[in-house]
Every structure is written in C-alpha cells, then in structure tokens.
Amino acid sequence: MTKSKDFPVALSADEGTSVAGADTLSSSDPASVRAWLKKNNPKQLSLLDKFEIELRLGRLSTSSTAVARDSSTALSNDPNSDLPGHAYSGGGGRGRDRRLVTVRTAELLRSLVGNTRWSTGAQVMALLRGLGKELHAAGGYREPAIGNIVRRIMGVVREEVMSGDGNANVEPVEASSEDKVAEGGMGAIDELSDSFAQSVSLASKGAGRGNISAPQSTLSLASMLWAHPQHLMTKQTRHGTSKALSGEAGSRRTRRSDSFASVGSEGGMEGATAEGDPLPYPPIFYVKKPDLRQTVMEAIQEIMSDLEDLHKNINDQAASHIHAGEVILTYGRSKTVELFLKAAAAKKRKFQVIVCEGAPHFGGHVLAKSLAAAGIHTTVINDSATFAIMARVNKVLLPAHAVLANGGLIAPSGSNMVALAAKQNSVPVVSVTGMFKLCPMYPHEGQDTLNDLVSPSSVVDYGEMSDSVMSKVEFINPVHDYIAPQLISLYVTNIGGFQPSYIYRLLSEYYHSDDWESFE
C-alpha cells in the first residue's frame, strides 16, 4: 500500500485498506489537493491556476528579481516616469509594489479557504500545506512573502484548535462515509476523526472544562531540548508491540521528537495509523470545531488590513529615526525607503540623501529623481564611491527582500558592500521593511540563500563575448546579497523597531515552528 509521507491515508475500520481518491483529500501533496479541488471546487481551482500563471510570468512581482529579469521595465514602473501604461495609486493605472503579491496571496487563500467545505483543523491544515507547496513550486521561492502568508494562517489554525475552550464548541465527527463525501470530499481525514472523537471527549471530561488538549501539556526541561541527539523518544511499531509482549524486545525503534510542540502528542490515547506511524497532528485536530472557519477568515482579513496600513505605520516612525541636518545614504530603489524619506521630509526635517545608483539596473536613478521632485536634497554616486563617501554619512537605509531567522538581511545585490563600508566607519545600518517579509529560514547557504542568478547581458554585451579573452571570463550576475546580522543595527517595521537579536522572538509570535519548513 502506498502511503503519503505528508499525511496518513484513511483506513477502513475492518481491513485497513486505502480509500484515497479524487473525492477525498488524504494528503497535503499538491497533486492530491488539485485533484480534490477539481472534483469538488472547480471554480477555486481555476482561480489557483490563474494566480500561478501570473506568478510564473512575473506579473505579480516588482521585486529586484523581476526587475533584474526585465530591466527594460524599470522606468515604466517609475511613478515619476513619463512612459505611458503605468501609474501608482495617485494616477490612472494600477500601483504595484512588493505588497501586491502578498495581498493577492491573501485574497486567494480567503477564497479557497472560505469557499471549500472542511470542518476540522486537520482538514484545513492539509489544504493550506498543499497550497503552500503548490505556490512555492510555481515561483514562490522567489517571493518568500507568499510562503510567509500561508505559514501565518497555518499558525492561526494551530493556535485556535489548541486553545480548546471546552466542549461547547467541539463536536465529534459521527457522519457516515457517504455523508462525508457529500460534504466536500474530506472523508479520508474524517475517518481519522471518527477513531479519535470518543477518546478526545473522554480526555476533555477527565481533564476539566477548557483542557481538551491536556495531553499536550506534559512538557519539561528535557522535552524543550528536543534538538539534542541524546533526547530521543521511543515508539513501537504495530508489530513491535505484539513482539514486546512475547518477550522479543528487539523490535523497538527509536525516533527523535519532530518538534517542541509534538511532545506528548504520540503517547497514550493519541494513537497512530495502522502502520504504527504517529499522526501529524494531536487528536483535537480531528474533531469538528464550528467556529474555526470564522476565526480563520478573520485572521486573513486582519492580515490584509495590516498590509493596507503597512506604509502608514512605518512612515509614522520616520521622525524618530531621521533628524535635521543628517546625511542619509541608501542603495538602489525601494518604495518603502522612498516613502519613509518623504514622510520625514513632510515633517519639516531638512536632511540630505546620497543614493548609490545600484548598477547594473540603476534603480538609484529612479529613486533620486523621485526624491528630488519631493524637494529633498539628493546626490547620486557610483557604487564604487560608497566607501569614500561613507565618512560623511550619519545613517544608512537599506531595503529588504527578506529578513531571515538569525536576524540577517536579504537585500539587492551590492547592499553587502554598503553594509561592510558602514561597519568600517561605525555608521549605523537601518533596514526599513514590513513584517510580511519575516522569513523563518536560516542562511545555511550563505550568499546563495534566497538568491537568484540572472543573465549577465546587463553587465556585458553578448557581442563582446566573441573576443578570445572575454570568452574565457565567467560572469555571475546575482540578484540579492546576504547581509549578516552583525552588520545591521536596527529593523524598522510596521509594528516598531527591533534589533536583529530579537527576530527569533518575532518568529515565534508569527509562525509555528512545525510550519517553518512545510513547503521545501
């Protein structure tokens, strides 16, 4: 029998055979999710396909990756450009920035989650995990904000399910298999719900009102140190249990706990599949919770509201970080940095801005033109002059493509050079970014983390490659730079300013640790 590694297939009560099919969502595998949507929600599948096509074609993104792949559109995306066909929100066209893909992702998830039929936490978690993998493969790896939105919603589902506010809002799943298919094809997970509803109900009565998840509270200092190899959990297979009763103790297998939250979720009445493998979620996830859908939809709406107020909340802090008479240096072009500087100028702060041109795409030229039009004293310099001018600079402002779990920064290519020059001259480096760019990833690949290599045609003309010397030169044109947390002084976000050492705390508030690597 073939079994998905992401989610256990449903087993019949007497034979344990698989009942997975097109009308049952038995796995978080993208193919299973697509098959389930095609069978039960074809309109939602068409929305997903349309979103993926736009994502693959780069129509949803104006990040540095998109600009690098099509640098000819840089000026057409300029709010001050005379080229037709584009304008920001103040003009006649449609404004685009890094928030566009994030807002579109939230709208897609609101439609898919709100219009599909599910009733338990395990069902919606399987749906969200499958959608996250699908979007990641379609190009979400270039836009980490897509995965961040999905992880944040998954964290809300986990928090709401584990809150366990008593028996009033919890209903055991007792429908027949025919009714389950008619209700939306979640029968595979409902089979698991049937087997655990009674045990969870008994557990909730014994533990008292509001403590349905009581088995999850068996935590200790040792369980917190799950990452250490010496802290292992033993689990018996189905056949191993019978052998142990017969005196054959060699069938026991040892397994490390998957996460801090999984402690206490695999022993006693938590149960396992017919193969002896532990379930991916605690039993409370397989119990109906009528108000779960409303909570998830409210969380998605809250995320969209945060995105709408993003720039306003960041700009309100401009006066606290930019003072009169300062010399500010920035690199390339970023709408967040641009609006941040304009907000400080609107509060009658007189300062000077030095803009590195950001070769080879020269986004700094566009930024300098926009700042000068707003009445800000602006100077454009070559990237190679950064170190020479740094002694006159009071503060460096850098944009962000992503903020990593260790406090490091993914920024446009060339930003690391600016950060190193600032460190040498003891100049503080401030990154202005929204919290939707907070990414639960560690830079295990160094400069290759979340990076992309594009054509070197913007650096050297193809006609020059016919030269005997140039043909032996290898040209590498990266899109991003990784900046170590030691080079960053402060992150200014829409919820306040934080040092890089505090990023790990924000990760625990926004995402659940079990969802960090859900889409890789």
Side-chain angles (χ1 to χ4, degrees):
M1 179 181 64
T2 303
K3 176 172 66 65
S4 170
K5 65 179 181 178
D6 299 311
F7 204 88
V9 296
L11 305 177
S12 62
D14 41 348
E15 296 183 2
T17 56
S18 173
V19 295
D23 56 352
T24 59
L25 182 58
S26 59
S27 171
S28 61
D29 181 74
S32 300
V33 173
R34 292 187 66 87
W36 179 74
L37 289 174
K38 182 178 180 181
K39 177 69 176 181
N40 302 281
N41 305 92
K43 292 184 179 180
Q44 307 308 316
L45 180 60
S46 64
L47 291 178
L48 177 62
D49 291 337
K50 181 179 179 181
F51 182 89
E52 290 184 3
I53 291 175
E54 292 182 308
L55 183 61
R56 293 179 188 274
L57 296 178
R59 296 174 181 174
L60 298 179
S61 175
T62 57
S63 66
S64 50
T65 300
V67 174
R69 291 185 177 277
D70 190 8
S71 58
S72 62
T73 63
L75 287 178
S76 63
N77 290 334
D78 174 24
N80 301 293
S81 175
D82 296 329
L83 296 180
H86 181 88
Y88 272 70
S89 56
R94 180 182 64 177
R96 296 204 306 169
D97 55 45
R98 284 293 304 283
R99 292 185 305 167
L100 172 65
V101 64
T102 312
V103 172
R104 289 288 303 274
T105 301
E107 292 175 347
L108 175 68
L109 294 176
R110 181 177 61 179
S111 177
L112 291 175
V113 173
N115 296 317
T116 53
R117 308 193 70 174
W118 49 268
S119 58
T120 67
Q123 293 171 353
V124 68
M125 287 294 290
L127 176 62
L128 289 172
R129 190 182 296 270
L131 292 175
K133 292 179 180 179
E134 179 88 2
L135 297 177
H136 181 81
Y141 58 90
R142 292 197 182 99
E143 286 290 349
I146 294 178
N148 296 340
I149 293 297
V150 180
R151 291 186 187 96
R152 187 171 175 182
I153 298 176
M154 292 173 68
V156 172
V157 173
R158 289 181 181 271
E159 181 180 357
E160 176 64 18
V161 172
M162 297 304 297
S163 63
D165 54 349
N167 297 330
N169 295 324
V170 177
E171 299 178 2
V173 180
E174 299 177 353
S176 62
S177 58
E178 292 80 3
D179 294 336
K180 295 166 190 174
V181 174
E183 288 178 0
M186 287 284 190
I189 303 178
D190 285 338
E191 293 288 343
L192 297 172
S193 303
D194 286 335
S195 62
F196 292 114
Q198 183 177 2
S199 63
V200 174
S201 178
L202 293 175
S204 62
K205 293 179 181 179
R209 183 176 182 87
N211 291 326
I212 290 181
S213 56
Q216 298 296 318
S217 61
T218 56
L219 302 177
S220 64
L221 179 60
S223 65
M224 297 179 187
L225 302 177
W226 59 271
H228 293 270
Q230 64 268 27
H231 297 292
L232 301 174
M233 296 179 62
T234 58
K235 181 69 180 178
Q236 289 180 323
T237 62
R238 183 180 182 184
H239 300 289
T241 304
S242 60
K243 290 182 179 180
L245 294 176
S246 303
E248 300 178 14
S251 61
R252 219 178 255 271
R253 62 183 175 90
T254 303
R255 188 185 67 83
R256 183 193 294 188
S257 173
D258 289 335
S259 72
F260 171 83
S262 66
V263 176
S265 63
E266 296 171 10
M269 61 184 160
E270 269 73 6
T273 64
E275 296 296 323
D277 294 328
L279 291 171
Y281 307 110
I284 190 64
F285 277 78
Y286 302 92
V287 178
K288 282 187 177 180
K289 198 166 186 180
D291 59 343
L292 180 59
R293 182 184 298 271
Q294 179 181 357
T295 302
V296 175
M297 298 303 293
E298 290 176 354
I300 297 177
Q301 186 60 44
E302 182 181 354
I303 292 174
M304 298 181 66
S305 299
D306 291 342
L307 293 173
E308 293 177 0
D309 299 334
L310 178 76
H311 289 312
K312 177 182 180 299
N313 295 333
I314 293 178
N315 296 341
D316 289 342
Q317 308 172 56
S320 301
H321 299 282
I322 298 179
H323 308 286
E326 284 190 333
V327 178
I328 310 297
L329 184 140
T330 186
Y331 182 88
R333 187 199 179 197
S334 167
K335 184 181 180 183
T336 305
V337 174
E338 176 184 337
L339 295 179
F340 189 76
L341 293 171
K342 289 182 178 180
K347 297 179 179 179
K348 308 303 180 182
R349 296 292 172 89
K350 299 297 182 180
F351 55 92
Q352 180 181 355
V353 178
I354 299 177
V355 182
C356 299
E357 60 183 1
H361 309 295
F362 303 104
H365 294 177
V366 180
L367 176 61
K369 179 181 177 181
S370 177
L371 294 179
I376 301 175
H377 189 283
T378 308
T379 304
V380 181
I381 64 172
N382 295 328
D383 297 339
S384 57
T386 301
F387 191 88
I389 204 69
M390 190 61 70
R392 298 178 51 193
V393 174
N394 300 109
K395 191 181 281 84
V396 173
L397 291 184
L398 291 180
H401 177 71
V403 180
L404 302 184
N406 68 330
L409 175 67
I410 303 295
S413 179
S415 300
N416 190 45
M417 168 197 66
V418 176
L420 290 172
K423 182 70 173 180
Q424 182 68 24
N425 290 271
S426 300
V427 176
V429 177
V430 178
S431 177
V432 185
T433 181
M435 288 304 299
F436 70 93
K437 298 180 183 179
L438 182 61
C439 186
M441 175 183 295
Y442 286 92
H444 298 303
E445 300 178 358
Q447 287 293 339
D448 293 333
T449 304
L450 292 177
N451 212 337
D452 195 11
L453 298 179
V454 295
S455 171
S457 59
S458 56
V459 180
V460 59
D461 188 79
Y462 281 120
E464 300 180 10
M465 299 303 296
S466 59
D467 183 78
S468 58
V469 177
M470 295 292 292
S471 61
K472 300 178 181 179
V473 178
E474 180 181 5
F475 292 92
I476 299 178
N477 189 14
V479 178
H480 301 116
D481 268 354
Y482 165 68
I483 303 177
Q486 296 82 3
L487 303 179
I488 305 295
S489 304
L490 186 69
Y491 285 104
V492 177
T493 72
N494 53 302
I495 62 173
F498 304 97
Q499 292 184 339
S501 59
Y502 192 75
I503 294 298
Y504 80 96
R505 185 69 180 87
L506 296 176
L507 285 173
S508 64
E509 294 178 0
Y510 274 73
Y511 314 117
H512 193 280
S513 59
D514 287 352
D515 302 327
W516 284 16
E517 300 180 358
S518 298
F519 314 137
E520 281 73 11

